[in-house]
Amino acid sequence: MSPTRAESLLIAELAAEAERYDDVISQIKTIATQFDARLTNDERNLLSIAYKNKTNTLRNSWRIVDTLEKMQASRTAPGTTTRQLTLIRQQRKKIERELANVCKDIVKLLEKQLLPAAKPGEERVFYSKMKGDYYRYLAEFAHEVEREWYADESLNAYKQAYRHAMSTLESVHPTRLGLALNFAVFYHDVRKSPERACHLAKSAFDDAVMSLDSESSDTTMAQTIRDSLQILQLLRDDLVLWSKEIQ
């Protein structure tokens, strides 16, 4: 017998506890395909965590190997290639292929199923932000023409998400703040513009702080405020670093 939706969710939760993220993704894809592409919050969060862990591991591996490759290249005579350097490059390219496959997989799922089924508001912002994030990851290690295309796709996704967030979510909403943080990182890391990154981050930070001041007596905002404080701290930390770069 095929598992029910509740059973698929249970298997996904067990897989997440065991850090078997491929199994998590498989179960949530089954739910989206066989039951409903409009995922519950629990299903959506499991999917997000699984892809985040997979890509974070690969991105960290890529950074390490890329650094080692540059160190080895600096020790090699110009115009020559050693066997060791060749092996390091092969490993970097292997990681790049794996990372690209994971990012393209979630982007395809978002574009074909999750975004078309998403409700206006927080859900659509969340998925559009994810799309921007994974195109950004692709742009981080792609080369030349591909890099520009991925960067443009990331920018378009972030812009759509941010416009929708501005019209549907409170400035202190964690999803809107998380979007602002990642969008600012895009401008800093991909577009190499700390000025635009600072402008976006400061605007989101100031709007949220003003909202906190005006809503401080509203008990219904308490949980939202707690969820947002960590993101506000990250925005502030990035603002400090990027402002020093500009100076």
Side-chain angles (χ1 to χ4, degrees):
M1 292 179 60
S2 299
T4 64
R5 181 171 188 157
E7 290 169 340
S8 292
L9 176 58
L10 174 61
I11 296 170
E13 290 171 338
L14 290 172
E17 288 293 330
E19 298 183 357
R20 291 179 57 84
Y21 298 114
D22 285 333
D23 291 344
V24 176
I25 291 168
S26 176
Q27 292 302 317
I28 302 302
K29 280 184 175 181
T30 297
I31 290 173
T33 302
Q34 297 185 9
F35 297 100
D36 188 359
R38 182 168 287 172
L39 302 178
T40 66
N41 283 343
D42 288 341
E43 293 163 352
R44 186 185 74 177
N45 290 336
L46 281 169
L47 185 73
S48 176
I49 290 168
Y51 275 108
K52 183 177 181 179
N53 277 279
K54 285 195 69 174
T55 52
N56 280 354
T57 299
L58 289 167
R59 290 169 75 208
N60 289 335
S61 298
W62 183 87
R63 291 189 187 104
I64 291 168
V65 175
D66 183 61
T67 299
L68 293 173
E69 180 184 346
K70 290 173 180 175
M71 291 172 61
Q72 183 64 32
S74 68
R75 304 189 191 106
T76 305
T80 63
T81 302
T82 64
R83 175 64 176 166
Q84 187 173 5
L85 183 56
T86 298
L87 292 172
I88 294 174
R89 284 176 177 167
Q90 288 175 352
Q91 186 64 20
R92 171 180 56 78
K93 291 177 181 178
K94 179 183 178 182
I95 296 170
E96 286 177 0
R97 288 192 296 270
E98 291 179 19
L99 181 52
N101 287 338
V102 174
C103 291
K104 290 175 182 178
D105 186 54
I106 179 58
V107 166
K108 180 180 177 181
L109 183 64
L110 288 163
E111 292 179 338
K112 299 295 185 181
Q113 291 181 271
L114 301 183
L115 272 167
K119 293 183 292 185
E122 193 272 343
E123 189 175 338
R124 184 177 297 173
V125 172
F126 184 93
Y127 287 137
S128 296
K129 170 188 169 294
M130 280 186 72
K131 181 179 175 181
D133 289 341
Y134 286 95
Y135 270 124
R136 171 163 61 88
Y137 301 157
L138 285 165
E140 285 177 347
F141 63 87
H143 304 284
E144 299 175 356
V145 177
E146 270 196 338
R147 174 184 169 84
E148 285 304 310
W149 189 84
Y150 289 138
D152 288 342
E153 289 296 308
S154 179
L155 178 61
N156 290 335
Y158 279 136
K159 282 183 174 180
Q160 290 176 10
Y162 206 67
R163 281 196 295 267
H164 195 60
M166 294 279 283
S167 62
T168 61
L169 300 180
E170 296 288 339
S171 58
V172 75
H173 195 291
T175 301
R176 176 168 162 176
L177 285 174
L179 167 62
L181 175 66
N182 288 15
F183 197 179
V185 170
F186 166 84
Y187 276 124
H188 180 270
D189 292 356
V190 178
R191 289 302 194 204
K192 307 301 180 185
S193 176
E195 294 85 2
R196 297 195 73 171
C198 278
H199 176 76
L200 178 58
K202 188 175 186 306
S203 176
F205 184 89
D206 290 346
D207 288 346
V209 170
M210 288 178 63
S211 179
L212 287 174
D213 289 341
S214 62
E215 301 285 353
S216 59
S217 61
D218 186 351
T219 56
T220 62
M221 292 288 292
Q223 183 60 48
T224 299
I225 291 170
R226 285 195 293 269
D227 293 341
S228 301
L229 286 177
Q230 184 176 3
I231 305 174
L232 283 170
Q233 184 61 54
L234 292 172
L235 278 168
R236 183 178 179 181
D237 292 345
D238 283 344
L239 273 169
V240 172
L241 289 173
W242 298 338
S243 296
K244 289 179 180 178
E245 289 180 23
I246 296 171
Q247 292 171 359

